[in-house]
Structures are given as structure tokens and as C-alpha cells.
């Protein structure tokens, strides 16, 4: 064997799956392979012709691009491509773009077929890789919907602006001439505030305010905004969360480009979640809230037919629950008077992660000032009972574990809450780990935000102990995915003998737990699983491919889970019957569980064995 062939053999032998197989397998590959040096000048010849190959990148960097010119994946040393068409017989749809020229090893179909039948481990490797590609491409296809469009594509007018010292009358005239319902107040080109037609009605006409006063006197200062390259999904999320109807769009230099309104967003889809949330925030009584809450299931089913990413339904439902909770708190204060000391209403679990479903129950609590007097606690006990009981009447189930502000253990001062968390972290019993899973996903809802920030600052200091992370990782490993020998689903049976898989407990919850551990380790403040994964890209604790795998698996399982709830399948909550899925969906589901299992094992290795 020549030195050149020996070098190629050495390279191939180190690549998976050849490193797990007899040396004869790598020898066969090398003896039957062709080698081509690919550059921008001959890249158009790659993947062309009737002959199909398994390609292995020896050197160089290449982009695999689909028919819509989207990059499917970036390939570099040790990466394979071409195997989907070898496994399925389908025509090649993608093309190759050279980023850095290099050598490609090409094994013809006949050679690939020989190896896959001779070595089952090799066949399983490429079948699994193909399933993983399918799982990823599933979301690339779905991401072409309205919710993933860039916000800049939605604006119909350029920025309409006015100076802070301009009069209210001048602002009204500008809005009339431009035919808009809002105007941005800018100074030296920077956004200072927003004035809407509602401000003109409520803050000027209804109050008898002098229209010659400066427009800065009625503007909303430091308004929420969004950058031009963000997605429509993000804009709608922001509007839902903060109950706003006008959202300024800025470029990266923070210069206003235009305004997006709830009307613009609703033009893209036929439901009106922004309007319903607005009605919830303005409800004058608990009875009105209950009537409005009856519209939520209908709205969710309607909304789910217009979005490509089902996980957004969880964001919407959490936004609706936030609105219910905030308004109930305000109604209680209106009836019983101002609170005796500063307090913050907070939520935990799925609501905190903004991942609620139609089956989610309550997880909430109250934080109040350390200076509270014993007699003043009665007020907050009543507040907790009032809000949680009315949430039940609005369709948000009571927590089976009593994680609600009506429970004395879910109310307390900043110091009392900190002491509870410190006890769980330093004494990691199974119950303590369960508490951590719930309470470490937390989010501010209403009340004194500074109080919540004070609590969070203390939490960030006490949650840095290695023993805690080791215990969390070990606890995660005790929950297994429902896949048995020969990649078969391990099904459960209901009382009527129906077979099902629990997607929440045996899949989604495991991903949530994994991402939470990594996020806490890196000091990431987000509670939402998707936002945590996005933030983890800025750290080295997980590879980019691991992050994308967890993201795609979470989205896929969440989609199946919400779809089963919305279509009201007659199974236990959060469960599906895999026999009702298409063949492709079953393949994707098995691959998702396989990737979750790998991530569990990696987490235990990193934390429980002290390898960090």
C-alpha cells in the first residue's frame, strides 16, 4: 500500500462508524473509493449525474444547500453526505457550495450497499444520521411560516417621528397627515417615547389637557421596541407579554425605522390574542374575567391552525395566564386596599418558562418585604387564596402538589425564600431536587419588581455549589426515555387498554431538566427553555450541535404534545399513541428519544463525575 493510501486509511479508520468496526471495513472503503479535489470551479459537478455516492470530507469546508438556497448544514473534516439518497433511492435535491476547497472521498452505491449489508453497525449509523437530518429539516420547513418572517418585512411605512418639544396638536396633525395611529418621539435620532391615538383620547381629551403642551408630557417614555432582524414571532411575544399594541422597530444603531402594530400582526393570522389579553387586563370584575377565560380554549384551537411552530401556543397560553393573574391581583387590591408592604407575585414551572399547555396547572407564590409585621401576613394569605381560587374558576387547575400562593409555604419574605432554596441546594434529597425543578424556573408577574430583583440576586449567589449540580444531574438520569431493545417504543396502557407514550414525563421534562442545569451553571437568567438554549450558544459547556439537537427535539415533542391536546385525543394528558403517527413521525420520535438519552449520559458525565 502506498504512503498516500496508508494516510487515507489512517484517516478513515478514525472516523465513526469505522472506528467501531473490523479493520477490513475501512480497508474495503479505501480500496473502492474515489478522490476528488473540490473547488468553486468544479463544485457544480458535485452531486450531479446518475451515479450516487457516499461522500466523506477529508479536507476543506462545504455548505450543503437545498433548492430554496437555504443552508442545510455545513460540512468539514470527517463529515458525511449523500447517504440519504443511498438509503431511500430518492433523487438528490441538494447542491454543494465550496467555502474552502478540499478533498472529498467518494464511495459508489455498490460499495456502500456491500458495506451496509456486511456490517449492520455501519448501516445503523447512517440510518440514525438520516433520521436526525429528517428531524432537523422538519423545522427548517416549518420555519418558513409567517411567525418566522423578519419583522422588517412586515412594516408598511417608514418611521413617523416628532421632536419632544413639539406640541400635542402638532403630533395629532402629523398622525392625521401620515394616516397612522401612533408617532415616535425622537431626540437626535434616538427613540425617547411613543404617543398613540389612545393617548390623545385618554391623556388629552378625557383629561382636558392643554393641546399646546409638549408632546413629551403625554408620551410613554422608554417604550418597548424590537430590532429589524428579529422575527414576527418575537414581536407578537413581546406584545402579548406587555399588553402593547404599537412596537417601534429599530436598526442595530438604535435608529427608528418604523412601527409594527397588533393590526399588522393580526393581518397575518385570523385570531386575536392581543385583543383578548387586553380585555383581561381591563376586566372590571372576577365575573367578567371568568367569561373572558371561557374564550381561551377556542382561541388556542383557532390560533394553532395559523402557526407553524406549535410551541408558540404555550407562549400564548402563558401570556393569557399572566394577564389573569395580574388582573386578579389588582381586583383584590381594589377591594381590600393597598398592601401593607411591598410584594411581588411570581410564577414557577411551565408558566415561568412560558410553556403552558391546556393541561397545565398552577405554580405560583408571593414574596414580600423582610420588614413585614406578623399581623400583616393575613393580607397576603387572603390575596393568595383569592387569586388561586379564581384562577381555578377561570380554568387554570389547582396544583396537585399545592405549589400555590394560597399555601403558606409558597409565601414568604426574601430571606425566608432564600433560606428555603439554600436548604434544598445543600441537602439534595429527592424531594429537594423536585422542588428545585419547579422553583428554579421562576418569573416575575406583578407587584414590586425591585423586590423580585433583590431575591434573584441572592439566588444567583447560593446556586453555585458543585454538590447541587452533581445531585441535579444524577436525578435527571433516573428518568428514562421510552425506547427499549431494537429501538422499539416502551408503551404504557390506560384502563381501557389503550397504548400510549407520555411525552411530557419521558421526553420534554427531561430536556427541560437538562437545559436548566446547564443554564444555572452558566448563570443564565432566562426561564424559557428555548431562550436558555439560545443563550448557551455564548458558552462552551455544550457544543452547537448538542444545542441544536436539544432544541429540535424539544420543539418536535412539544408539537406532538400540543397537537394531541388540541385535537382532544382520548388518552391521558400529555400522551400520544405512536401508532397514530406517520412512518416519518415515528422515525423522528425514535431519533428524538435517542438524542435525549445521549444528552442525559453526557450530563451525568460532566456533573456527577466532576469532569468540569
Amino acid at each position: 500500500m502506498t504512503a498516500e493510501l496508508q494516510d487515507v486509511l489512517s484517516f478513515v479508520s478514525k472516523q465513526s462508524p469505522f472506528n467501531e468496526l473490523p479493520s477490513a471495513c475501512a480497508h474495503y472503503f479505501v480500496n473502492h473509493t474515489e478522490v476528488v479535489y473540490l473547488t468553486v470551479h468544479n463544485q457544480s459537478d458535485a452531486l450531479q449525474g446518475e451515479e450516487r455516492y457516499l461522500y466523506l470530507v477529508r479536507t476543506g469546508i462545504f455548505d450543503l444547500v437545498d433548492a430554496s438556497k437555504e443552508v442545510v448544514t455545513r460540512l468539514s473534516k470527517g463529515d458525511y453526505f449523500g447517504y440519504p439518497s443511498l438509503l431511500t433511492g430518492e433523487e438528490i435535491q441538494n447542491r454543494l457550495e465550496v467555502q474552502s476547497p478540499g478533498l472529498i472521498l467518494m464511495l459508489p452505491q455498490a460499495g456502500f450497499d456491500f458495506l451496509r449489508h456486511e456490517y449492520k453497525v455501519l448501516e445503523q449509523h447512517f440510518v440514525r444520521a438520516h433520521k436526525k437530518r429528517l428531524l432537523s429539516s422538519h423545522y427548517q420547513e416549518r420555519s418558513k411560516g409567517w411567525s418566522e418572517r423578519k419583522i422588517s418585512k412586515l412594516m408598511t411605512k417608514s418611521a413617523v417621528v416628532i421632536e419632544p418639544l413639539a406640541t400635542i396638536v402638532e403630533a395629532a396633525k402629523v398622525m392625521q397627515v401620515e394616516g397612522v395611529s401612533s408617532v415616535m418621539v425622537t431626540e437626535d435620532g434616538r427613540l425617547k417615547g411613543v404617543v398613540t391615538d389612545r393617548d390623545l383620547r385618554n391623556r388629552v381629551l378625557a383629561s382636558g389637557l392643554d393641546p399646546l403642551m409638549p408632546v413629551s408630557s403625554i408620551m410613554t417614555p422608554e417604550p418597548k421596541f424590537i430590532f429589524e432582524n428579529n422575527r414576527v414571532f418575537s414581536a407578537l411575544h413581546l406584545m402579548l407579554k406587555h399588553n402593547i399594541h404599537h412596537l417601534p422597530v429599530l436598526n442595530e444603531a438604535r435608529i427608528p425605522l418604523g412601527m409594527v402594530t397588533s393590526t399588522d400582526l393580526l393581518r397575518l393570522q385570523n385570531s386575536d390574542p392581543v385583543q383578548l389579553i387586553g380585555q383581561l387586563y381591563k376586566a372590571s370584575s372576577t365575573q367578567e374575567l371568568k367569561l373572558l377565560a371561557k374564550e381561551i380554549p377556542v382561541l388556542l384551537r383557532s390560533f394553532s391552525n395559523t402557526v407553524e411552530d406549535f410551541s408558540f401556543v404555550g407562549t400564548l397560553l402563558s401570556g393569557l395566564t399572566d394577564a389573569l393573574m395580574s388582573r386578579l391581583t389588582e381586583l383584590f387590591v381594589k377591594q381590600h386596599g393597598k398592601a401593607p408592604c411591598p410584594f411581588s407575585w411570581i410564577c414557577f414551572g411551565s408558566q415561568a418558562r412560558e410553556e403552558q399547555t391546556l393541561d397545565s396547572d398552577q405554580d405560583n407564590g408571593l414574596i414580600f418585604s423582610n420588614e413585614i409585621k406578623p399581623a400583616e401576613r393575613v393580607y397576603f394569605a387572603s390575596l393568595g387564596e383569592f387569586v388561586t381560587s379564581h384562577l381555578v374558576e377561570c380554568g387554570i387547575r389547582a396544583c396537585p402538589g399545592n405549589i400555590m400562593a394560597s399555601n403558606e409555604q409558597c409565601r414568604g419574605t426574601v430571606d425566608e425564600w432564600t433560606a428555603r432554596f439554600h436548604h434544598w441546594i445543600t441537602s439534595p434529597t429527592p424531594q429537594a431536587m423536585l422542588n428545585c425543578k419547579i422553583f428554579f424556573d421562576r418569573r416575575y408577574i406583578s407587584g414590586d419588581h425591585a423586590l423580585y430583583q433583590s431575591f434573584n440576586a441572592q439566588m444567583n449567589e447560593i446556586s453555585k455549589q458543585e454538590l447541587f449540580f452533581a445531585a441535579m444531574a444524577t436525578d435527571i438520569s433516573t428518568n428514562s426515555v421510552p425506547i427499549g431493545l431494537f429501538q422499539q417504543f416502551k408503551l404504557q396502557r390506560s384502563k381501557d387498554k389503550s397504548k400510549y407514550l407520555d411525552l411530557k414525563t419521558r421526553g420534554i421534562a427531561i430536556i427541560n431538566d437538562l437545559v436548566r442545569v446547564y443554564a444555572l451553571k452558566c448563570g443564565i437568567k432566562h426561564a424559557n427553555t428555548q431562550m436558555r438554549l439560545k443563550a448557551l450558544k455564548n458558552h462552551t459547556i455544550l457544543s452547537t450541535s448538542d444545542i441544536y439537537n436539544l432544541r429540535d427535539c424539544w420543539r418536535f415533542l412539544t408539537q406532538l404534545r400540543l397537537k394531541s391536546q388540541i385535537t382532544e385525543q382520548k388518552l391521558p394528558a400529555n400522551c400520544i399513541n405512536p401508532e397514530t403517527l406517520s412512518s416519518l413521525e415515528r422515525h423522528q420520535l425514535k431519533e428524538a428519544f435517542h438524542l435525549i438519552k445521549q444528552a442525559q449520559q453526557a450530563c451525568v458525565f460532566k456533573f456527577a463525575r466532576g469532569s468540569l
Side-chain angles (χ1 to χ4, degrees), residues 430 433-434 437 470-479 513:
M433 290 299 95
L434 177 60
K437 290 179 182 181
M472 288 288 283
T474 302
D475 180 77
I476 292 169
S477 69
T478 62
N479 190 7
D513 293 344

Side-chain angles (χ1 to χ4, degrees), residues 99-119:
Q99 301 302 317
S100 176
L103 291 172
I104 303 287
L105 308 182
M106 303 164 54
L107 179 69
Q109 171 117 40
F112 178 77
D113 288 341
F114 173 82
L115 289 178
R116 67 183 289 203
H117 291 111
E118 190 73 16
Y119 301 99

Side-chain angles (χ1 to χ4, degrees), residues 442-499:
R442 60 187 183 274
R443 185 164 56 83
Y444 166 84
I445 296 295
S446 62
D448 190 316
H449 192 257
L451 189 69
Y452 176 73
Q453 289 179 312
S454 173
F455 165 62
N456 256 357
Q458 293 193 38
M459 286 304 307
N460 292 336
E461 288 303 313
I462 67 172
S463 58
K464 296 179 179 179
Q465 301 189 32
E466 294 300 325
L467 175 64
F468 166 64
F469 291 105
M472 288 288 283
T474 302
D475 180 77
I476 292 169
S477 69
T478 62
N479 190 7
S480 61
V481 296
I483 291 290
L485 293 174
F486 310 112
Q487 286 289 295
Q488 297 301 307
F489 291 120
K490 295 170 68 174
L491 301 175
Q492 297 171 257
R493 289 184 180 272
S494 60
K495 292 181 181 179
D496 64 357
K497 306 300 181 181
S498 298
K499 295 182 288 186

Side-chain angles (χ1 to χ4, degrees), residues 324-344:
L324 283 169
M325 199 173 280
S326 295
R327 190 55 183 154
L328 284 169
T329 303
E330 292 170 355
L331 289 173
F332 178 87
V333 172
K334 186 176 180 181
Q335 293 176 22
H336 297 84
K338 184 180 177 181
C341 69
F343 75 95
S344 293

Side-chain angles (χ1 to χ4, degrees), residues 45 88 114 135 204 250 409 414 454 461 481 508 515 533 546 583-584:
D45 298 331
T88 65
F114 173 82
L135 183 64
V204 181
L250 313 183
Q409 295 302 309
V414 171
S454 173
E461 288 303 313
V481 296
I508 297 170
V515 176
L533 283 169
D546 287 340
S583 175
L584 174 59

Side-chain angles (χ1 to χ4, degrees), residues 397-418:
R397 295 188 302 113
C399 175
N402 204 20
I403 309 297
M404 298 183 293
S406 53
N407 176 7
E408 185 178 8
Q409 295 302 309
C410 293
R411 302 190 302 269
T413 65
V414 171
D415 287 349
E416 288 168 346
W417 273 108
T418 304

Side-chain angles (χ1 to χ4, degrees), residues 498-565:
S498 298
K499 295 182 288 186
Y500 63 88
L501 290 173
D502 188 334
L503 294 178
K504 176 186 176 182
T505 304
R506 307 290 293 279
I508 297 170
I510 299 175
I511 298 175
N512 289 341
D513 293 344
L514 288 166
V515 176
R516 182 186 305 111
V517 169
Y518 288 117
L520 289 173
K521 181 65 178 178
C522 295
I524 294 168
K525 309 250 183 332
H526 301 296
N528 178 267
T529 302
Q530 300 271 51
M531 293 181 71
R532 281 172 167 170
L533 283 169
K534 184 177 180 180
L536 282 169
K537 293 180 184 178
N538 299 320
H539 301 268
T540 58
I541 197 168
L542 279 176
S543 69
T544 302
S545 61
D546 287 340
I547 291 171
Y548 285 150
N549 285 341
L550 288 171
R551 180 200 64 182
D552 288 345
C553 290
W554 186 93
R555 286 179 175 177
F556 179 66
L557 296 179
T558 297
Q559 174 201 333
L560 291 181
R561 176 193 184 191
L562 287 168
K563 185 177 179 180
S564 71
Q565 292 181 354

Side-chain angles (χ1 to χ4, degrees), residues 289-304:
L289 278 176
K290 293 169 196 174
L291 289 173
L292 290 170
K294 290 181 180 179
E295 299 178 22
I296 293 176
V298 178
L299 174 67
L300 286 177
R301 290 183 173 89
S302 172
F303 191 74
S304 68

